[in-house]
Amino acid sequence: MGACVIDGKALAAKIRSEVANECEKMVASGKRRPKLCVIIAGDDPASKVYVRNKQKACGDCGIDSETIELPGTVTKEELFSLIDEKNGDGNVDGILVQLPLPRGIDEKEVILRISPDKDVDCFHPVNVGRVYTGDPLFLPCTPAGIIELLKYAGVTISGANCVVVGRSNIVGKPVSALLLAENGTVTTAHSKTRDLKKVTREADILVAAIGKPKFFNREYIKPGAAVIDVGMDRDENGKLCGDVDFDDVAGICGPITPVPGGVGPMTVAMLMKNTLKAAMIRK
Ligand code: NAP
């Protein structure tokens, strides 16, 4: 069985161009372009790269973007007053506060401060709840990107045994919810799961989201299974890699996402889709 590599870059480019078309239609009908406001506090180098990628994607899609850089010494009150200002700004459709935040500022409080109808990351509890109850306003970006990748690769989710390893609020839990909504039979595994290999070897679809470089080798994989690698890790040489040992697994699995070029580009593409949706709701 040879692996089919799922091209996340190509799919992300297709989604970005669909968003760009919609933006041009809005402009042609006399409306303003969607606008995303990105707030970054402190100078975490990885966060800066993520923010630059988001700015670039906005440019590609014809979405206006505004990036506000705050010093790492910013207070909670200052950040809140900025969020309040953007919540009330009728020209801003989406607000994204790049995580992690400087020490002393509580992530949960910041997320709660963002108006749910501008919460394009889909982190606000109102939006998380809507995903779980089957009435989503926005879809969580990385999880929604994973569903799109599976569909693009022709993988049937309905009825499939889906095993998600990882239970974070950003990836593991919401992707489990979306797979369930697609009629998958979902198991969410984590660090306390007993006999993880036995659990993952039952998976028709395996989503690896633990943040451990090349953790999953072929011993964890059912032959032919679809493998989605969410990890963005560094190997022993400092090179970007995923949670899956791609070279070991590729010989026995079915469709598999590479790192880089798999889930990562999809996350940003889905953010663009959410920003467009926010603008459409506002109008
Ligand atoms: P996280 O918050 O650190 O959560 C990791 C999860 O993995 C936890 O639920 C943890 O279990 C579980 N885990 C850790 N070691 C394990 C083990 N040996 N066996 C089973 N479960 C284990 O991480 P995250 O934010 O979800 O991110 C996961 C990975 O995805 C990271 O590499 C991150 O960089 C990447 N990521 C990529 C994107 C993208 O767009 N491509 C987006 C977000 C994240 P417990 O809950 O029991 O501790």
Side-chain angles (χ1 to χ4, degrees), residues 142 165-168 170-172 189-192 196 209-212 215 230-233 243 263-264 267:
T142 302
V165 193
R167 56 172 163 178
S168 69
I170 295 179
V171 187
H190 45 76
S191 68
K192 306 289 186 294
L196 183 63
I210 67 170
K212 300 257 157 79
F215 180 92
V230 188
M232 292 215 301
D233 314 317
D243 289 347
V263 175
T267 297

Side-chain angles (χ1 to χ4, degrees), residues 153-167:
V155 176
T156 304
I157 303 171
S158 181
N161 274 340
C162 308
V163 176
V164 176
V165 193
R167 56 172 163 178

Side-chain angles (χ1 to χ4, degrees), residues 253-274:
C253 70
I256 179 169
T257 57
V259 178
V263 175
M266 288 300 292
T267 297
V268 183
M270 300 318 280
L271 175 69
M272 298 299 108
K273 242 181 138 163
N274 278 347

